[in-house]
Amino acid sequence: MRPVALVSLETAVPSYSIDQVDVAAFARSVFEGRHEDFPRLANVFATAGIRTRYAVRPLEWFQRPRDWADRMTAYADGAQALFTSVARKALAAAGLTGRDIDTIVTVSSTGIAAPTLEARAFKDLGFREDVRRVPVFGLGCAGGAAGLGLASRLAAAEPGDRVLLVVVELCTLAFRLDKPTKSNIVASALFGDGTAACVLQSVSASDGGPGGVLATVESSGEHLWPDTLDIMGWAIDPQGFDVIFSRTIPPFAQANARTAAAAVLARSDLRLDDIDRFVFHPGGAKVITALERGLSLDRGTLADERAVLADYGNMSAPTVLFVLKRALAAGIHGRILMSAMGPGFTLNCVTLRTAV
């Protein structure tokens, strides 16, 4: 792949901040007595590694049953507002306006909107009438890494073109008051809402934004494991999305992530030894520990992942971009492997290189 400049990377969260202790109390009030193993499962609120997360609706909104219409109205309103906010920040950081963008890649799997989010934000952001739109649904937690890989390839394919990637997920809207299942209880302890956006452009055509080029995207790839459809995803019923969330994810990650990442890197003539810094999607505290063990990293190596998880929860697709932004701000240098697992079950990888 022709090298592509990451010109800007910005993040945003909705206005409602919710402490984990309040979520735990809320879960106890609605689930205790409805699931025989709730007292044991409730420990996940203390062990998830999360202090705070953000939501497009206040905690009180979730205290009564919500149907598809309620959820998708909240999604359309909340996701459009976040899309507009984070895209405006990413454009400003790149020294650009909406009219400078040639292609928009929008990644989201927690709601359905037609017209899609970039069309709804078209007027506010001043995109051109001939802008190309690429909405992507269904990638789940892998969407941040997969979206960056796709946007980079589009930028490389058309030298001079500027690509805006926006990744927005409103995971809290999938909370099910009517489903006192183990998966739903665990999901309520983990998930939050957030968004990330970046501007990409082929290196030969880029002078960078006001702050210069953050990093160069070198390659991207994916590994899909067969017979793993039941590990993660959505089930759909009249009330909305119902989370599929297997307890096997941490041991699966520990056993398989290293081999899969090595296979993806090999397609670009790279090895794990060529990587100076790993940036992972922090699915949960157990997943982070599993990744450190599986990649033979010292415990505590993935400190940025733990910090993002603590401050924002698991926001699905944009979370890995929050980690990348934090790591870049801390001044990391060299070659980075950014990766995330998601429904499929799949591992998506992107390699980036910063100035030494």
Side-chain angles (χ1 to χ4, degrees):
M1 187 178 80
R2 182 182 292 109
V4 169
L6 177 65
V7 180
S8 67
L9 171 58
E10 297 294 332
T11 60
V13 292
S15 59
Y16 295 105
S17 174
I18 305 174
D19 289 341
Q20 183 76 329
V21 291
D22 295 328
V23 178
F26 172 72
R28 186 176 300 108
S29 71
V30 298
F31 288 138
E32 195 167 33
R34 299 172 63 203
H35 192 291
E36 61 181 11
D37 206 20
F38 180 80
R40 183 182 67 83
L41 292 176
N43 289 331
V44 71
F45 292 93
T47 61
I50 297 169
R51 292 189 298 265
T52 310
R53 88 275 300 270
Y54 294 83
V56 293
R57 292 291 185 267
L59 197 57
E60 295 76 22
W61 188 85
F62 300 94
Q63 291 178 347
R64 70 179 182 86
R66 299 290 177 177
D67 60 16
W68 261 108
D70 290 334
R71 297 176 197 278
M72 291 307 100
T73 297
Y75 173 82
D77 293 344
Q80 180 181 340
L82 283 173
F83 183 107
T84 302
S85 173
V86 78
R88 187 170 282 132
K89 288 172 63 177
L91 289 170
L96 302 173
T97 69
R99 294 198 65 80
D100 297 314
I101 297 300
D102 302 287
T103 302
I104 310 164
V105 178
T106 305
V107 176
S108 188
S109 299
T110 47
I112 299 171
T116 50
L117 297 176
E118 71 283 345
R120 293 167 183 262
F122 177 86
K123 185 175 180 180
D124 286 341
L125 292 170
F127 295 125
R128 299 196 314 267
E129 292 80 356
D130 64 344
V131 69
R132 292 183 291 269
R133 300 185 295 133
V134 185
V136 181
F137 175 86
L139 297 174
C141 294
L148 183 60
L150 172 60
S152 299
R153 288 183 177 275
L154 291 173
E158 298 287 346
D161 275 14
R162 298 182 177 101
V163 179
L164 172 68
L165 169 67
V166 181
V167 184
V168 55
E169 300 290 11
L170 308 186
C171 303
T172 62
L173 297 181
F175 173 76
R176 298 292 296 266
L177 191 65
D178 63 315
K179 291 271 188 174
T181 63
K182 180 178 179 179
S183 291
N184 195 28
I185 292 169
V186 172
S188 68
L190 291 176
F191 290 117
D193 301 341
T195 183
C198 58
V199 174
L200 300 123
Q201 188 173 356
S202 62
V203 169
S204 60
S206 176
D207 295 324
V213 174
L214 299 177
T216 301
V217 181
E218 296 180 316
S219 66
S220 64
E222 179 173 1
H223 182 92
L224 182 67
W225 288 279
D227 304 318
T228 55
L229 298 180
D230 59 345
I231 290 183
M232 182 185 290
W234 294 128
I236 301 174
D237 63 27
Q239 298 303 312
F241 292 126
D242 187 19
V243 66
I244 299 171
F245 198 65
S246 173
R247 64 183 297 178
T248 65
I249 293 173
F252 188 95
Q254 182 172 336
N256 296 286
R258 182 186 185 91
T259 301
V264 174
L265 287 172
R267 296 176 212 151
S268 300
D269 296 323
L270 294 171
R271 300 175 303 162
L272 286 169
D273 289 344
D274 296 319
I275 302 303
D276 299 300
R277 174 66 161 84
F278 293 92
V279 168
F280 286 109
H281 165 65
K286 291 183 179 180
V287 174
I288 296 172
T289 299
L291 289 168
E292 284 179 337
R293 291 172 178 170
L295 274 294
S296 301
L297 303 174
D298 292 338
R299 178 167 176 78
T301 297
L302 303 181
D304 289 328
E305 285 80 353
R306 288 186 171 89
V308 168
L309 184 69
D311 291 343
Y312 302 99
N314 181 346
M315 299 168 284
S316 189
T319 319
V320 72
L321 293 168
F322 275 65
V323 178
L324 179 62
K325 179 177 172 61
R326 181 184 176 92
L328 290 171
I332 63 168
H333 60 272
R335 181 174 282 118
I336 302 164
L337 174 63
M338 186 181 93
S339 65
M341 291 180 165
F345 196 58
T346 182
L347 176 74
N348 274 267
C349 298
V350 179
T351 62
L352 306 97
R353 194 172 183 88
T354 63
V356 177

